[in-house]
Amino acid sequence: MSFRTTTAIDYVEDVAPGSGALPPRAWYASSDAKSLSLNGTWRFRLSPTAGAEDDSFAEPGYDAGAWAEVAVPGHWVLQGHGSPIYTNHLYPFPVDPPRVPTENPTGDHVRVFDLPDDWPSDGGAVLRFDGVESCARVWLNGTELGEFKGSRLPHEFAVGQLLKPAGNVLAVRVHQWSAGSYLEDQDQWWLPGIFRDVTLLHRPTGSVRDFFVHASYDHVTGEGTLRVDSDVEGRVTVPALDIDVATGESMTVAVEPWSAETPRLYDGRLVTEGESVPLRIGFRTVVLEDGLIKVNGKAILFKGVNRHEWHPEKGRALDLETMREDVLLMKRHNLNAVRTSHYPPHPAFLDLCDEYGLWVIDECDLETHGFVEQSWRDNPVDDERWTPALLDRAARMVERDKNHPSVVFWSLGNEAGTGRGLTAMAEWIHGRDSSRLVHYEGDWNCRDTDVYSRMYAFHDEVEKIGRKLDGGTRKRRELPFIQCEYGHAMGNGPGGLADYQKLFESYDRLQGGFIWEWIDHGIKHPELGYAYGGDFGEELHDGNFVCDGLIFPDRTPSPGLVEYKKVIEPVGIEGDGADGTVRVTNKYDFADLSALAFEWSYQVDGETVEAGALSVPALAPGESADVKLPEPPADARGGSETQWTVRALLASDTAWGPKDHEVAWGQFPVSARPLPAVAATDRPTASEELIYLGPASFDARTGTLKTIGGVDVSALRLDVWRAPTDNDDGAEWQTDTRYGMLWRKYGLHRMQHRLDAVELGDDALTVRTRVAPAAWEVGLSTVYRWTSDGTKLRLTVSVAPEGDWTVPLPRLGIRFALAQADRVKWFGGGPGEAYPDTKSASMLGRWHSTVDELQTPYVRPQENGARADVRWMEIGGLRIEGDPEFWFTARRWTTEQLDAARHRTDLTPGDTVWVNLDHGQHGIGSQSCGPGPLPQYFLRAEPAEFSFVLSEVN
Ligand code: GAL
């Protein structure tokens, strides 16, 4: 006998997008039609399989009173039912499209609601789901409405005839896995649930259904043309422009255009017989012209980021305030663009982009990356049975979001290979909306796209593309280039951003890029701090690859965001200290500099002695001016290091930042630092146990430093090891050598220190050693030479590599332990972390911090917190001057403990503070997904000599 028990769940594995839903349309909030949010607490029952329970729960009268409760919007796996799963591109189930596993967590949701007393009895009603992962079947009052897939897309059902004044029963069955899951293989947590709003909308007779605002701008005439096409006829008014026209009619008037820099929106209204809808109109024209992306006649430069929706407790169920926080953080860090990787965001996010000004690449909810493992065989995007689902997704995105001026590109999806389905999507989109361009990265021949887009191309290749020497199809050669992903912000880094930006600003064809990515998707966890892949016992996972954002899970900016802000600052400030001028360049595409106020200040040894306003002309985009600085303050004597700092600040409060918010800055030296000098006048003397030199004592047998004045210093020795960063380790598929791995192989984390000699000379104590790893012939001949003038102590370290060094060093310097330390002061780069290729934002000045505040809490602990270009520092009662400048880190744990930690909570602070003073650090790069450090940031094993002058702070 052969039979199937699962007929009722066939839709789950059906490649079709669904049935019963209304055609897609624009998302808008009516001024007068009633709506009822169905967000809140719902009854919830979890079943292990799609067909475990029948559908009687959808019947009115069914008693779900004993069920659990979940919050909607929300993901049930973040509310104590089951667990999240993280994979990058591997499907967490067997690849056998469109079949999914029998184990298919299925959440039945029930919500009973009454209509408000003033709910009108005429007209219809629509039930809208803004996002459900991954497949839902819906009933209202026992009547099935339909089922749908397309997790991050809206679906609406006509329900007017089914509504009752009270006791309406809305039942939704949600399956974690469905045929749709094959189209949603994005690199993120798999998080089932009703994770966006559920809303009941009254639809009065004669109300608007769908409308399309066409608002273009002619940069030659300065006029905008408005036409609003609407399914239901009505009138369109824009009071500020004296516009009052019928739908479908065009009107051309002088306007201020919309751009990400000048987001001028005009309030308007679409009024039909049954409804009035507020409009926010931005006039702008996007074209591909002369091989460039132009908006309002000008080529633009994307300074963007990829944004996934993320909240450490709520997953992808974001509230409006969190979305606004994202936009404000972006604007305050000089970003001008967002790619909504890899799906259309909550619609309210796009309202914020319109309002505050961000260029948007709106990406479709489509990724089939896992098929790469079978050389893209059976890829749904090249199988016409799936094409209706692809077209459905494209239409749901375009129709929902078409009225946002911020959206300048539609993106077909991400990492889905190539195929006829994508071409069908592109053709449909081009036909439906000729006012925007089409993006897709996965086809380097650009068959369907209006831009050549790549991810993680190395600097040299980007330069080649900039020079148009990259070849490719004829079509591609004529297209502009963007990096839709670059600068992989996983852990410490990304390095090399300034080098990319320089290229973007040098070649017209390069129109910028989008950092991968905005936020670490860490999940708040009571024992681990933030959880990442594998922390929920997933059988297949990709670890902390899910934590690769410019902000931490709690939205604290990481040093990567601070660096990016500096690298993309919209005003160039370069000076010449000698002749006292500063060259200011307006790097905006549209705005002049009138919104900014400039300020100069003059520092002597890092301390500001005078400051004042600097008058800078309101330069037009692209213009530069040389501005004379005032005379340097009279008492800024010789014998000190002096410099100018010029800053560009917001001249007044704006929508996104307060007056005085810093937008850009530059520093340039006037006189160089006098190096510390210590006359070697003291002579070392020895007792049985100790050697004395100036303020210091040493172990007589080993020559190891023990005290400086009253300060105990222990374990001082050469150090080359740092806890490898995610970018040091690199991803296995990257082509650059993965030095993090090789460092470990060659034992740089277990160097042995052989003592060769302790020599007492007339004016110096010299300790000769060889520092080398077991098993290898390579080593570092290391000599510590101590001298003193009786008060200060000078240590000169000379390092000579021996053997055949084939790897750079992670770091080169000394480390030691202080029994006690808390506050740290320094004159050098700050206030934050910096490494050789991440130090654009490191500002030279006087800084202070506590040891704890020096740490950058990467979700997976790793090397962090170095401060660059340090002239001197004070810590734990010691003053340390560098000759030359140095880097330092200070922590309450050892590098070995940092290296061993997997989560923040693995690090337990002790009283001892471990200080590293480094002569060099190896670059960071972006090899966790991208290039390693560029050669100029390598710390090669080469002969080196460096000194520190140590004294007790009085
Ligand atoms: C890209 C992909 C992203 C993310 C990134 C690495 O290939 O589009 O979704 O996986 O790599 O973090």
Side-chain angles (χ1 to χ4, degrees), residues 33-37 114-122 124-126 163-164 199-203:
K34 298 271 175 223
S35 73
L36 176 66
S37 169
D114 299 338
L115 294 179
D117 291 342
D118 58 355
W119 193 267
S121 51
D122 69 316
V126 159
L163 288 171
K164 310 185 289 192
T199 318
L200 183 69
L201 304 163
H202 179 238
R203 300 285 66 222

Side-chain angles (χ1 to χ4, degrees), residues 582 597-603 608-616 627-631 633 644-649 660:
V582 57
F598 289 77
E599 200 184 85
W600 63 267
S601 58
Y602 193 81
Q603 285 83 35
T608 298
V609 294
E610 230 176 288
L614 185 70
S615 149
V616 172
V627 182
K628 191 86 193 123
L629 290 161
E631 278 304 305
W644 294 102
T645 300
V646 172
R647 306 193 304 147
L649 313 172
D660 292 337

Side-chain angles (χ1 to χ4, degrees), residues 809-850:
L809 299 172
R811 71 177 344 138
L812 179 68
I814 55 164
R815 83 159 167 183
F816 55 86
L818 293 174
Q820 256 170 16
D822 185 23
R823 302 209 60 85
V824 187
K825 287 206 289 191
W826 73 99
F827 170 27
E833 165 184 308
Y835 288 82
D837 54 350
T838 64
K839 79 188 197 59
S840 309
S842 179
M843 189 189 242
L844 195 57
R846 296 271 189 110
W847 308 104
H848 60 85
S849 168
T850 61

Side-chain angles (χ1 to χ4, degrees), residues 219-238:
H219 65 278
V220 177
T221 62
E223 288 174 326
T225 298
L226 177 69
R227 190 187 81 235
V228 179
D229 294 333
S230 171
D231 293 5
V232 175
E233 281 176 18
R235 287 205 77 77
V236 176
T237 52
V238 186

Side-chain angles (χ1 to χ4, degrees), residues 449-468:
T449 65
D450 302 313
V451 62
Y452 176 30
S453 173
R454 290 276 302 282
M455 45 175 77
Y456 310 109
F458 288 18
H459 298 79
D460 53 353
E461 189 186 3
V462 170
E463 172 145 35
K464 209 164 155 191
I465 296 169
R467 291 180 186 276
K468 303 188 178 172

Side-chain angles (χ1 to χ4, degrees), residues 88 187 342 414-415 455-456 485 488 516 545 548 929:
N88 168 10
D187 173 8
H342 297 302
N414 184 57
E415 298 191 308
M455 45 175 77
Y456 310 109
E485 296 179 23
H488 199 248
W516 186 269
F545 203 62
D548 51 3
C929 194

Side-chain angles (χ1 to χ4, degrees), residues 228-259:
V228 179
D229 294 333
S230 171
D231 293 5
V232 175
E233 281 176 18
R235 287 205 77 77
V236 176
T237 52
V238 186
L241 296 172
D242 276 336
I243 291 180
D244 183 349
V245 288
T247 52
E249 241 175 63
S250 302
M251 181 143 175
T252 300
V253 290
V255 298
E256 290 170 42
W258 188 96
S259 77

